[in-house]
Amino acid sequence: GASSLIEYNASSTQVVSARTDYANVTFTGGSKTMPTGTTTLSKTLTINTGATYNGTTNNPVLNIGGDFSNSGTFNQGTGLLTFTNGGTANTILGATATTFSSVTLNNSNGLLLNTDATINTTLTLTSGKFDIGSKILTFGPTANAVAGTLNTSNMIIADGGGEVRKSATSNASATYTFPIGDGISSADGADFSPISLTVTGSAYSSAYVSVSLNDSKHPNNSSTTNYLTRYWKVSQSGITGCTATVTGTYINAVSDVA
């Protein structure tokens, strides 16, 4: 049924049945080996404490129309996780900060981040906004540029106190573009304000750069006329001799210019 629940609860290794008509699925205890091909849930996947999602054997495609709740272990492998439109926004939550391989958002209602997460390969924004709220979204050292048609409808919302990080590689110089913007709850509605960083350093130790956004005048800007009502926060950690070229995009209209 549309709200049915199937629980895989064996304490030993258990093989998940290949189906595209699941509603809610819960993993409890032991390792759950995902099947080959595509598995589709119209509702929520819950991974309880002590349970393991094993996608590394068959590297399946996983479609979720509801939430992703992980308090156990999630080993995605090289498969793709797609958040689809189940009628409301999807949510990533749970006690575990999950590391994903590749994630696609294809839900015009959006995706909410309620716990820190890492994406190591590719985030594709096909439809919908990815709102990170007050959490940290990290792209791994070898993560690709965010894919999709990036605009006001398809972006990362980063004005809620959280931040988007890009982990550094050992390259002397690297460039990464963060397709961020502010949420519809801001005074002038949602605006797409991507920022690109070209960072150079001499040494790296657990290094990253991070960005976030504020849809307001910078508190240190004393101008009373002709100022931007938007600013970005950029920081770094673990980069020796860090220098950066920063390019931020704003809306040349009353939404961003006063």
Side-chain angles (χ1 to χ4, degrees):
S3 299
S4 64
L5 168 64
I6 293 179
E7 183 175 10
Y8 290 89
N9 58 10
S11 58
S12 57
T13 299
Q14 193 170 14
V15 178
V16 176
S17 297
R19 292 175 55 172
T20 57
D21 62 347
Y22 286 112
N24 298 284
V25 174
T26 295
F27 292 165
T28 301
S31 179
K32 316 303 176 187
T33 301
M34 296 298 293
T36 58
T38 299
T39 298
T40 298
L41 287 67
S42 60
K43 299 293 185 179
T44 294
L45 172 64
T46 301
I47 306 170
N48 285 325
T49 302
T52 297
Y53 173 107
N54 175 16
T56 58
T57 300
N58 296 313
N59 301 302
V61 173
L62 175 64
N63 300 320
I64 296 178
D67 298 334
F68 174 92
S69 179
N70 179 26
S71 296
T73 301
F74 181 75
N75 296 325
Q76 185 176 358
T78 58
L80 173 65
L81 167 58
T82 298
F83 288 98
T84 60
N85 191 338
T88 61
N90 311 107
T91 303
I92 296 173
L93 67 161
T96 300
T98 301
T99 296
F100 299 95
S101 177
S102 291
V103 174
T104 293
L105 173 58
N106 190 16
N107 181 359
S108 59
N109 297 298
L111 173 63
L112 308 177
L113 188 63
N114 280 0
T115 188
D116 295 346
T118 297
I119 297 175
N120 277 334
T121 304
T122 304
L123 170 65
T124 301
L125 299 177
T126 301
S127 176
K129 305 180 186 73
F130 189 176
D131 189 345
I132 65 170
S134 61
K135 304 304 180 182
I136 298 172
L137 174 63
T138 300
F139 292 99
T142 59
N144 299 312
V146 177
T149 302
L150 304 174
N151 52 36
T152 302
S153 298
N154 308 322
M155 63 179 178
I156 300 171
I157 297 177
D159 66 342
E163 62 185 35
V164 184
R165 294 178 178 178
K166 176 63 175 70
S167 298
T169 65
S170 58
N171 296 335
S173 180
T175 299
Y176 198 79
T177 298
F178 300 83
I180 62 174
D182 60 85
I184 196 69
S185 60
S186 61
D188 53 14
D191 286 321
F192 181 49
S193 303
I195 183 170
S196 180
L197 305 180
T198 298
V199 177
T200 300
S202 59
Y204 303 87
S205 177
S206 301
Y208 64 84
V209 292
S210 68
V211 300
S212 61
L213 180 69
N214 284 80
D215 185 24
S216 61
K217 179 183 176 183
H218 194 281
N220 292 335
N221 187 343
S222 59
S223 298
T224 57
T225 59
N226 303 320
Y227 57 84
L228 293 181
T229 59
R230 175 174 307 272
Y231 67 94
W232 299 261
K233 292 182 179 179
V234 179
S235 63
Q236 65 89 13
S237 177
I239 304 176
T240 301
C242 179
T243 59
T245 300
V246 179
T247 304
T249 301
Y250 64 91
I251 309 300
N252 189 18
V254 294
S255 60
D256 278 355
V257 180

